[in-house]
Coordinates of all heavy atoms in Angstrom, one line a residue:
M1 N 61.6 79.9 59.2 CA 60.5 80.2 59.9 C 59.4 79.5 59.3 O 59.0 79.5 58.1 CB 60.2 81.6 60.1 CG 59.1 82.0 60.8 SD 58.9 83.8 61.0 CE 58.1 83.9 62.4
K2 N 58.5 78.7 60.0 CA 57.4 77.9 59.6 C 56.1 78.9 59.3 O 55.9 79.8 60.0 CB 57.0 77.0 60.7 CG 56.9 75.6 60.2 CD 56.6 74.7 61.5 CE 55.6 73.7 61.1 NZ 55.4 72.7 62.2
P3 N 55.5 78.6 58.1 CA 54.3 79.4 57.8 C 53.2 79.2 58.8 O 53.0 78.0 59.2 CB 54.1 79.1 56.5 CG 54.6 77.8 56.2 CD 55.8 77.7 57.1
L4 N 52.3 80.1 59.1 CA 51.2 79.9 59.9 C 50.2 79.0 59.2 O 50.0 79.2 58.0 CB 50.6 81.3 60.2 CG 51.3 82.1 61.2 CD1 50.6 83.4 61.3 CD2 51.5 81.5 62.5
S5 N 49.5 78.2 59.9 CA 48.4 77.4 59.3 C 47.2 77.3 60.2 O 47.4 77.3 61.4 CB 49.0 75.9 59.0 OG 49.4 75.3 60.1
L6 N 46.2 77.2 59.5 CA 44.9 77.1 60.3 C 44.6 75.7 60.5 O 44.9 74.8 59.7 CB 43.7 77.8 59.5 CG 43.9 79.2 59.2 CD1 42.8 79.8 58.4 CD2 43.9 80.0 60.5
P7 N 44.0 75.5 61.6 CA 43.5 74.0 61.8 C 42.6 73.6 60.8 O 41.8 74.3 60.2 CB 42.8 74.1 63.3 CG 42.6 75.5 63.6 CD 43.5 76.3 62.7
S8 N 42.7 72.2 60.3 CA 42.0 71.7 59.4 C 40.7 71.0 59.9 O 40.6 69.9 59.6 CB 42.8 70.8 58.5 OG 43.3 69.6 59.4
T9 N 40.0 71.7 60.6 CA 38.7 71.2 61.1 C 37.5 71.7 60.2 O 37.4 72.8 60.0 CB 38.4 71.5 62.5 OG1 38.3 72.9 62.6 CG2 39.5 70.9 63.5
E10 N 36.8 70.7 59.8 CA 35.6 71.0 58.9 C 34.4 71.0 59.8 O 34.3 70.2 60.8 CB 35.4 70.0 57.8 CG 36.5 70.0 56.8 CD 36.2 69.1 55.7 OE1 35.0 68.9 55.3 OE2 37.2 68.7 55.0
P11 N 33.5 72.0 59.6 CA 32.2 72.0 60.5 C 31.4 70.8 60.3 O 31.3 70.1 59.2 CB 31.5 73.3 60.0 CG 32.0 73.5 58.6 CD 33.5 73.0 58.6
D12 N 30.8 70.4 61.3 CA 29.9 69.2 61.3 C 28.5 69.9 61.0 O 27.8 70.4 61.9 CB 29.8 68.5 62.6 CG 28.9 67.3 62.6 OD1 28.2 67.1 61.6 OD2 29.1 66.4 63.4
L13 N 28.1 69.9 59.7 CA 26.8 70.4 59.3 C 25.6 69.9 60.0 O 24.7 70.7 60.4 CB 26.7 70.5 57.8 CG 27.9 71.1 57.0 CD1 27.6 70.9 55.5 CD2 27.9 72.6 57.4
I14 N 25.6 68.7 60.2 CA 24.4 68.1 60.8 C 24.2 68.6 62.3 O 23.2 69.0 62.7 CB 24.5 66.5 60.9 CG1 24.5 66.0 59.5 CG2 23.4 65.8 61.7 CD1 24.8 64.5 59.3
E15 N 25.3 68.6 63.0 CA 25.4 69.2 64.3 C 25.0 70.7 64.3 O 24.2 71.1 65.3 CB 26.7 69.0 65.1 CG 27.0 67.5 65.4 CD 25.9 66.9 66.4 OE1 25.4 67.7 67.3 OE2 25.5 65.8 66.2
D16 N 25.4 71.4 63.4 CA 25.1 72.8 63.3 C 23.6 73.0 63.1 O 22.9 73.9 63.6 CB 25.8 73.4 62.1 CG 27.4 73.6 62.4 OD1 27.7 73.4 63.6 OD2 28.1 73.9 61.6
V17 N 23.0 72.2 62.1 CA 21.6 72.3 61.8 C 20.8 71.9 63.1 O 19.8 72.6 63.5 CB 21.2 71.3 60.6 CG1 19.6 71.3 60.5 CG2 21.8 71.9 59.3
L18 N 21.1 70.9 63.8 CA 20.5 70.5 65.0 C 20.7 71.6 66.1 O 19.6 71.9 66.8 CB 20.9 69.1 65.5 CG 20.5 67.9 64.7 CD1 21.2 66.6 65.2 CD2 19.0 67.6 64.9
A19 N 21.7 72.1 66.3 CA 22.0 73.2 67.2 C 21.1 74.4 66.9 O 20.6 75.0 67.8 CB 23.5 73.7 67.2
W20 N 20.9 74.7 65.6 CA 20.1 75.8 65.2 C 18.7 75.7 65.6 O 18.0 76.7 65.9 CB 20.2 76.1 63.6 CG 19.4 77.2 63.2 CD1 18.2 77.1 62.7 CD2 19.9 78.5 63.1 NE1 17.9 78.5 62.3 CE2 18.9 79.3 62.6 CE3 21.0 79.3 63.5 CZ2 18.9 80.8 62.4 CZ3 21.2 80.6 63.4 CH2 20.1 81.3 62.8
H21 N 18.2 74.4 65.7 CA 16.8 74.2 66.0 C 16.8 73.5 67.5 O 15.9 72.7 67.8 CB 16.3 73.1 65.0 CG 16.2 73.7 63.7 ND1 15.1 74.6 63.3 CD2 16.9 73.6 62.6 CE1 15.3 74.9 62.1 NE2 16.4 74.4 61.6
D22 N 17.7 73.9 68.4 CA 17.8 73.5 69.7 C 17.7 72.0 70.0 O 17.0 71.5 70.8 CB 16.7 74.2 70.5 CG 16.9 75.7 70.5 OD1 18.0 76.2 70.5 OD2 15.8 76.4 70.4
G23 N 18.3 71.3 69.1 CA 18.3 69.8 69.1 C 17.0 69.1 68.7 O 16.9 67.8 68.8
D24 N 16.0 69.9 68.1 CA 14.7 69.2 67.7 C 14.9 68.7 66.3 O 14.9 69.5 65.3 CB 13.7 70.3 67.8 CG 12.3 69.7 67.5 OD1 12.3 68.6 67.0 OD2 11.3 70.5 67.6
A25 N 15.1 67.4 66.2 CA 15.3 66.8 64.8 C 14.1 67.0 63.8 O 14.4 67.2 62.6 CB 15.7 65.3 65.0
R26 N 13.0 66.9 64.4 CA 11.7 67.1 63.6 C 11.7 68.5 63.0 O 11.3 68.7 61.8 CB 10.6 66.8 64.2 CG 10.3 65.3 64.6 CD 9.1 64.9 65.4 NE 7.8 65.2 64.5 CZ 7.4 64.4 63.5 NH1 8.0 63.2 63.4 NH2 6.4 64.7 62.8
A27 N 12.1 69.5 63.8 CA 12.0 70.9 63.3 C 13.1 71.1 62.3 O 13.0 71.8 61.3 CB 12.3 71.8 64.4
A28 N 14.3 70.4 62.5 CA 15.4 70.6 61.5 C 15.0 70.0 60.2 O 15.3 70.6 59.2 CB 16.7 69.9 62.2
I29 N 14.5 68.8 60.3 CA 14.1 68.1 59.1 C 13.0 68.9 58.3 O 13.0 69.1 57.1 CB 13.6 66.8 59.3 CG1 14.7 65.8 59.7 CG2 13.0 66.2 58.1 CD1 14.4 64.4 60.3
S30 N 12.0 69.4 59.1 CA 11.0 70.3 58.5 C 11.5 71.6 57.8 O 11.2 71.8 56.7 CB 9.9 70.6 59.6 OG 9.0 71.5 59.0
A31 N 12.4 72.1 58.4 CA 13.0 73.4 57.8 C 13.9 73.0 56.6 O 13.9 73.7 55.6 CB 14.0 74.0 58.9
L32 N 14.6 71.9 56.7 CA 15.3 71.5 55.4 C 14.4 71.1 54.2 O 14.7 71.5 53.1 CB 16.3 70.4 55.8 CG 17.4 70.7 56.7 CD1 18.2 69.5 57.2 CD2 18.4 71.7 56.1
L33 N 13.3 70.4 54.6 CA 12.4 70.1 53.6 C 11.7 71.4 52.9 O 11.5 71.4 51.7 CB 11.3 69.2 54.0 CG 11.7 67.7 54.3 CD1 10.7 67.0 54.9 CD2 12.2 67.1 53.0
D34 N 11.3 72.3 53.8 CA 10.9 73.6 53.3 C 11.9 74.3 52.4 O 11.5 74.9 51.4 CB 10.5 74.5 54.5 CG 9.3 74.1 55.2 OD1 8.5 73.2 54.7 OD2 9.0 74.6 56.4
D35 N 13.1 74.3 52.8 CA 14.2 75.0 52.0 C 14.3 74.3 50.7 O 14.4 75.0 49.7 CB 15.5 74.9 52.7 CG 15.7 75.8 54.0 OD1 14.8 76.8 54.1 OD2 16.6 75.7 54.7
C36 N 14.2 73.0 50.7 CA 14.4 72.2 49.4 C 13.2 72.5 48.5 O 13.3 72.8 47.4 CB 14.3 70.7 49.7 SG 14.5 69.7 48.3
Q37 N 11.9 72.7 49.1 CA 10.8 73.0 48.2 C 10.9 74.4 47.7 O 10.6 74.6 46.5 CB 9.5 72.9 49.1 CG 8.3 73.1 48.3 CD 7.0 73.0 49.1 OE1 7.1 72.9 50.4 NE2 5.9 73.1 48.5
H38 N 11.3 75.3 48.5 CA 11.6 76.7 48.1 C 12.6 76.7 46.9 O 12.4 77.4 45.9 CB 12.1 77.6 49.1 CG 12.5 79.0 48.8 ND1 11.5 79.9 48.4 CD2 13.7 79.4 48.6 CE1 12.2 81.0 48.0 NE2 13.6 80.8 48.2
L39 N 13.7 76.0 47.1 CA 14.7 76.0 46.0 C 14.3 75.5 44.7 O 14.7 75.8 43.7 CB 15.9 75.4 46.6 CG 16.8 76.1 47.6 CD1 17.9 75.3 48.2 CD2 17.2 77.5 47.1
R40 N 13.4 74.4 44.8 CA 12.9 73.7 43.7 C 12.0 74.7 43.0 O 12.0 74.7 41.6 CB 12.1 72.4 44.0 CG 13.0 71.3 44.3 CD 12.2 70.1 44.6 NE 13.1 68.9 44.8 CZ 13.2 68.0 43.9 NH1 12.6 68.1 42.7 NH2 14.0 66.9 44.1
L41 N 11.2 75.5 43.6 CA 10.4 76.5 43.0 C 11.2 77.4 42.3 O 10.8 77.9 41.2 CB 9.4 77.1 44.0 CG 8.5 78.2 43.6 CD1 7.6 77.8 42.5 CD2 7.8 78.9 44.7
Q42 N 12.2 78.0 43.0 CA 13.2 79.0 42.3 C 13.7 78.5 41.1 O 13.9 79.2 40.1 CB 14.2 79.4 43.4 CG 13.6 80.2 44.5 CD 13.0 81.4 44.2 OE1 13.6 82.3 43.5 NE2 11.8 81.6 44.6
L43 N 14.1 77.1 41.2 CA 14.7 76.6 39.9 C 13.7 76.4 38.8 O 14.0 76.7 37.7 CB 15.2 75.2 40.3 CG 16.1 74.4 39.3 CD1 17.3 75.2 38.8 CD2 16.5 73.1 39.8
A44 N 12.5 76.1 39.1 CA 11.4 76.1 38.2 C 11.2 77.4 37.5 O 11.0 77.6 36.3 CB 10.1 75.4 38.8
L45 N 11.1 78.5 38.3 CA 11.0 79.8 37.9 C 12.1 80.3 36.9 O 11.9 80.8 35.9 CB 10.7 80.8 39.1 CG 9.5 80.6 39.8 CD1 9.6 81.5 41.1 CD2 8.3 81.0 39.0
T46 N 13.3 79.9 37.4 CA 14.4 80.3 36.5 C 14.4 79.5 35.2 O 14.7 80.1 34.2 CB 15.7 79.9 37.3 OG1 15.8 80.7 38.5 CG2 16.9 80.2 36.4
E47 N 14.0 78.3 35.2 CA 14.0 77.5 33.9 C 12.9 78.1 33.0 O 13.2 78.2 31.9 CB 13.6 76.0 34.3 CG 13.5 75.2 33.0 CD 13.0 73.8 33.2 OE1 12.3 73.6 34.3 OE2 13.3 73.0 32.4
A48 N 11.8 78.6 33.6 CA 10.8 79.2 32.7 C 11.3 80.6 32.2 O 10.8 80.9 31.1 CB 9.5 79.3 33.5
A49 N 12.0 81.2 33.0 CA 12.3 82.6 32.7 C 13.5 82.7 31.8 O 13.7 83.7 30.9 CB 12.5 83.4 33.9
A50 N 14.5 81.9 31.9 CA 15.8 81.9 31.2 C 15.6 81.1 29.8 O 15.2 80.0 29.8 CB 16.9 81.4 32.0
S51 N 16.0 81.8 28.7 CA 16.0 81.2 27.4 C 17.1 80.2 27.3 O 18.2 80.2 28.1 CB 16.2 82.3 26.3 OG 17.4 82.8 26.4
S52 N 16.9 79.4 26.3 CA 18.0 78.3 26.0 C 19.3 78.9 25.6 O 20.3 78.5 26.0 CB 17.5 77.3 25.0 OG 18.4 76.4 24.6
G53 N 19.2 80.1 24.9 CA 20.4 80.8 24.4 C 21.1 81.4 25.6 O 22.3 81.4 25.6
F54 N 20.4 81.9 26.5 CA 21.0 82.6 27.6 C 21.8 81.6 28.5 O 22.9 81.8 29.0 CB 19.9 83.2 28.5 CG 20.4 83.8 29.9 CD1 21.2 85.0 29.8 CD2 20.2 83.2 31.1 CE1 21.6 85.6 30.9 CE2 20.7 83.7 32.3 CZ 21.5 84.9 32.2
T55 N 21.3 80.4 28.6 CA 21.9 79.3 29.4 C 22.8 78.3 28.6 O 23.3 77.4 29.0 CB 21.0 78.4 30.2 OG1 20.0 77.8 29.2 CG2 20.1 79.2 31.1
R56 N 22.9 78.7 27.2 CA 23.8 78.0 26.3 C 23.3 76.5 26.2 O 24.2 75.5 26.2 CB 25.3 78.1 26.7 CG 25.7 79.5 26.5 CD 27.2 79.6 26.8 NE 27.6 81.0 26.7 CZ 28.5 81.5 25.9 NH1 29.0 80.7 24.9 NH2 28.9 82.7 25.8
G57 N 22.1 76.2 26.4 CA 21.6 74.9 26.2 C 21.4 74.1 27.5 O 20.9 73.0 27.6
W58 N 22.0 74.7 28.6 CA 21.9 74.0 29.8 C 20.5 74.0 30.3 O 19.8 75.0 30.3 CB 22.8 74.7 30.9 CG 22.8 74.2 32.4 CD1 23.5 73.1 32.7 CD2 21.9 74.7 33.4 NE1 23.1 72.9 34.0 CE2 22.1 73.8 34.5 CE3 21.0 75.6 33.5 CZ2 21.6 74.0 35.7 CZ3 20.4 75.8 34.8 CH2 20.6 75.0 35.9
R59 N 20.1 72.9 30.9 CA 18.7 72.7 31.5 C 19.0 72.2 32.9 O 19.8 71.3 33.2 CB 17.9 71.7 30.7 CG 17.8 72.1 29.3 CD 17.2 73.4 29.0 NE 15.8 73.7 29.3 CZ 15.3 74.8 29.4 NH1 15.9 75.8 29.0 NH2 14.0 75.0 29.7
P60 N 18.3 72.7 33.8 CA 18.4 72.3 35.3 C 17.8 70.9 35.5 O 17.0 70.5 34.7 CB 17.7 73.3 36.1 CG 16.6 73.9 35.1 CD 17.3 73.8 33.8
R61 N 18.4 70.2 36.4 CA 17.9 69.0 36.9 C 17.3 69.1 38.3 O 17.9 69.7 39.1 CB 18.9 68.0 36.9 CG 19.5 67.5 35.6 CD 20.5 66.4 35.7 NE 21.3 66.3 34.5 CZ 22.5 66.3 34.6 NH1 23.3 66.5 35.5 NH2 23.2 66.3 33.4
F62 N 16.2 68.7 38.5 CA 15.4 68.7 39.7 C 15.8 67.7 40.7 O 15.7 67.9 41.9 CB 13.9 68.9 39.6 CG 13.4 70.1 38.9 CD1 13.4 70.2 37.5 CD2 13.2 71.3 39.6 CE1 13.0 71.3 37.0 CE2 12.8 72.4 38.9 CZ 12.7 72.6 37.6
D63 N 16.3 66.6 40.3 CA 16.9 65.6 41.2 C 18.4 65.4 41.2 O 18.9 65.5 40.0 CB 16.2 64.2 40.8 CG 14.7 64.3 41.1 OD1 14.3 64.7 42.1 OD2 14.0 63.8 40.2
R64 N 18.9 65.3 42.3 CA 20.4 65.1 42.4 C 20.9 63.8 41.7 O 20.2 62.8 41.8 CB 20.8 65.2 43.9 CG 22.2 64.9 44.1 CD 22.4 65.1 45.6 NE 21.8 64.1 46.4 CZ 21.9 63.9 47.7 NH1 22.6 64.8 48.4 NH2 21.3 62.9 48.3
Q65 N 22.0 63.9 41.1 CA 22.6 62.7 40.5 C 24.0 62.4 41.2 O 24.8 63.2 41.1 CB 22.9 62.8 39.0 CG 21.7 62.9 38.2 CD 22.0 63.0 36.7 OE1 23.1 63.3 36.3 NE2 20.9 62.7 35.9
D66 N 23.9 61.4 42.0 CA 25.1 61.0 42.8 C 26.2 60.5 41.9 O 25.9 59.8 41.0 CB 24.8 60.1 44.0 CG 24.0 60.6 45.0 OD1 24.1 61.8 45.2 OD2 23.2 59.8 45.6
N67 N 27.5 60.8 42.2 CA 28.6 60.4 41.3 C 29.2 59.2 41.9 O 30.4 59.1 42.1 CB 29.6 61.5 41.2 CG 29.2 62.7 40.4 OD1 28.2 62.5 39.6 ND2 29.6 63.8 40.7
A68 N 28.3 58.2 42.3 CA 28.9 57.0 42.9 C 29.4 55.9 42.0 O 29.0 55.9 40.8 CB 27.7 56.4 43.8

């Protein structure tokens, strides 16, 4: 008997974001930029509050480093 398998379709995140904003690309970009700004603030607060010993020397990076 063959095991059951789920379809291997990955969600299209761009289409999902646009659909959430009723197809308004400017609203979608604005919301994503707002989210990015909020997360950067949260990261800055965490960096200030967490001691080096707590994070075992890890320091956050505010900019993404692509593995290209």
Side-chain angles (χ1 to χ4, degrees):
M1 182 173 206
K2 233 175 142 175
L4 293 176
S5 62
L6 297 173
S8 61
T9 58
E10 294 186 26
D12 186 348
L13 298 178
I14 295 171
E15 289 299 323
D16 290 346
V17 169
L18 286 172
W20 182 263
H21 295 282
D22 298 323
D24 185 351
R26 290 183 65 84
I29 292 170
S30 177
L32 292 171
L33 289 173
D34 288 345
D35 288 347
C36 184
Q37 182 179 10
H38 171 74
L39 291 173
R40 282 177 175 264
L41 175 61
Q42 294 297 305
L43 187 58
L45 292 172
T46 301
E47 180 184 25
S51 71
S52 179
F54 176 73
T55 60
R56 297 180 183 244
W58 175 84
R59 301 309 287 174
R61 292 188 195 121
F62 289 89
D63 292 313
R64 174 173 70 171
Q65 292 184 344
D66 292 330
N67 295 330

